[in-house]
Amino acid sequence: MKKLNIIWSHPRTDSLTGDVVKRITAMAEASGCEVNILDLYRSGFSPVLNTEDEPDWQDQSKDYSAEVSRLASELSPEHPLIFVFPVWWYSLPAMLKGYIDRVWNNGVFYGEGSQRPASRILWIGLVGQNEPAFMKRGFDFTLRQTLNNGIASFCGVNNSSVKFLFDTIGDDVEEKNKHYEDLVSSAEKTASAFLMQ
């Protein structure tokens, strides 16, 4: 059976972010995937990096906290990974950034003795602004560079792509319900194509 890991971050389960996760999960399971979901907010995860999980550049084999070791073991270089998150301040939410800081660590997913966290990665970012406003100052390029090169490629995953869902607040649309459904459907189609790779 094929396996898919989904990691998502939003304080509300009834958010548009949550709806995207539910739709992708249903689609993946219907196609025969076993889906492992990490809901960072409901899992009790702390994004705060303390000394026990601080990278040790002199010790590639450092033992990290039990939580970090457990979460790292849930990922595999054999399985695809999808992140779903709101774009806040043109970047990752603190919860998700803290997950990367703590779990995607030296000697775990990069550095000597590490392994890839996934076979390939799809990042789905929900952007409050409309597309022209977001792209006007190159925020799309900057965030793609960070996710695809600064994180994924640095950890050995060269097949990484970003899908932005724009105007998720819906200020620039008349029929919000249809707009939200279109966004969720777009995410589902992107995820489906990603799984077929």
Side-chain angles (χ1 to χ4, degrees), residues 45-49 93-104:
F45 177 77
S46 170
V48 178
L49 177 68
M95 183 68 84
L96 182 50
K97 180 59 166 60
Y99 168 83
I100 298 292
D101 289 344
R102 289 188 62 203
V103 180
W104 291 36

Side-chain angles (χ1 to χ4, degrees), residues 27 82 120 122 159 161 186-197:
M27 175 275 298
I82 297 178
R120 59 190 185 276
L122 172 62
N159 185 346
S161 59
S186 177
E188 179 184 10
K189 289 175 184 175
T190 301
S192 177
F194 170 75
L195 289 177
M196 292 176 65
Q197 291 180 7

Side-chain angles (χ1 to χ4, degrees), residues 4 32 72 129 161 163 167 194:
L4 168 67
Q129 289 179 304
S161 59
K163 168 69 173 179
D167 202 7
F194 170 75

Side-chain angles (χ1 to χ4, degrees), residues 24-51:
I24 291 174
T25 301
M27 175 275 298
E29 289 178 340
S31 69
C33 272
E34 177 186 330
V35 182
N36 177 51
I37 300 174
L38 174 57
D39 177 348
L40 289 172
Y41 272 91
R42 263 61 59 184
S43 70
F45 177 77
S46 170
V48 178
L49 177 68
N50 290 309
T51 54

Side-chain angles (χ1 to χ4, degrees), residues 16 127-131 133 165-177 179-180 183:
L16 186 58
V127 181
Q129 289 179 304
N130 61 40
E131 187 171 0
L165 304 177
F166 293 103
D167 202 7
T168 58
I169 296 174
D171 286 342
D172 299 323
V173 297
E174 292 184 9
E175 298 182 40
K176 286 192 177 184
N177 288 339
H179 174 65
Y180 294 151
L183 292 176

Side-chain angles (χ1 to χ4, degrees), residues 33-124:
C33 272
E34 177 186 330
V35 182
N36 177 51
I37 300 174
L38 174 57
D39 177 348
L40 289 172
Y41 272 91
R42 263 61 59 184
S43 70
F45 177 77
S46 170
V48 178
L49 177 68
N50 290 309
T51 54
E52 63 181 344
D53 292 322
E54 182 181 8
D56 186 340
W57 310 117
Q58 309 307 316
D59 182 6
Q60 297 284 334
S61 61
K62 174 179 176 176
D63 289 328
Y64 296 104
S65 67
E67 180 180 33
V68 162
S69 298
R70 176 181 58 80
L71 291 172
S73 72
E74 292 177 358
L75 300 181
S76 167
E78 306 300 321
H79 305 141
L81 169 62
I82 297 178
F83 286 98
V84 186
F85 58 95
V87 174
W88 289 339
W89 291 104
Y90 307 103
S91 186
L92 297 175
M95 183 68 84
L96 182 50
K97 180 59 166 60
Y99 168 83
I100 298 292
D101 289 344
R102 289 188 62 203
V103 180
W104 291 36
N105 217 321
N106 182 37
V108 179
F109 291 137
Y110 68 88
E112 186 178 336
S114 64
Q115 68 173 13
R116 293 180 305 159
S119 58
R120 59 190 185 276
I121 298 174
L122 172 62
W123 309 81
I124 300 179

